[in-house]
Amino acid sequence: MLFESEADFCSSSTAFSRIAFLNYFQRPAEQTGKSIKVSQLDADVSKDVVGQVAKAIAPEIIIFTSSLAYRHAKRSGLLKAFDEQGIKYTRTPHPGMPWWNRVSKVYGNRTGKQHFVDFVNSVVKTEA
């Protein structure tokens, strides 16, 4: 996906020095293939962990690949903290879900994958 964007990951020795990934929720769902049933403890721990990781690595962008995670981050005030830190963020469907490859009004009549690539490109262009 990132290789389809205009981001220049080839100039660094490895893309992994510029990209990080972590799960928003810090435990697996109760049933494999199902969404997590989010408790207050889940919400609190997720906000704290993701907030601390964002402060530590100071990313330019954050992409939530889960609407559930995005909603909880928003509810918790974490997105407001990202705004204050100058971190750009968006949400996309998880790449394993059908909406990744289906056009959706939510993503401006684009697929989730295209929304992901376009978001990365918009950040790259504003930095050029």
Side-chain angles (χ1 to χ4, degrees):
M1 295 171 292
L2 287 171
F3 293 115
E4 294 178 26
S5 74
E6 296 172 15
D8 182 13
F9 294 106
C10 297
S11 64
S12 97
S13 60
T14 175
F16 293 109
S17 67
R18 301 191 57 202
I19 302 168
F21 175 86
L22 85 142
N23 287 322
Y24 184 77
F25 297 109
Q26 300 300 300
R27 68 171 181 86
E30 295 79 2
Q31 287 185 289
T32 301
K34 300 288 183 183
S35 291
I36 186 173
K37 293 178 183 157
V38 184
S39 70
Q40 188 59 51
L41 180 60
D42 291 320
D44 294 343
V45 168
S46 298
K47 175 190 177 195
D48 290 344
V49 170
V50 174
Q52 289 174 22
V53 169
K55 282 182 183 177
I57 65 174
E60 296 173 41
I61 65 174
I62 293 177
I63 301 175
F64 291 86
T65 57
S66 158
S67 292
L68 181 64
Y70 182 85
R71 282 193 308 271
H72 277 273
K74 184 175 183 176
R75 238 181 257 148
S76 74
L78 193 56
L79 299 185
K80 187 177 278 192
F82 293 161
D83 287 336
E84 292 167 1
Q85 295 170 47
I87 299 170
K88 297 171 182 73
Y89 55 85
T90 193
R91 68 181 169 102
T92 69
H94 188 280
M97 300 304 291
W99 290 110
W100 183 252
N101 293 304
R102 284 190 197 153
V103 172
S104 171
K105 288 181 185 178
V106 173
Y107 302 114
N109 292 318
R110 297 171 293 170
T111 65
K113 179 180 178 182
Q114 191 59 51
H115 175 69
F116 180 103
V117 170
D118 290 348
F119 178 74
V120 172
N121 286 344
S122 73
V123 173
V124 169
K125 286 179 183 171
T126 61
E127 293 175 356

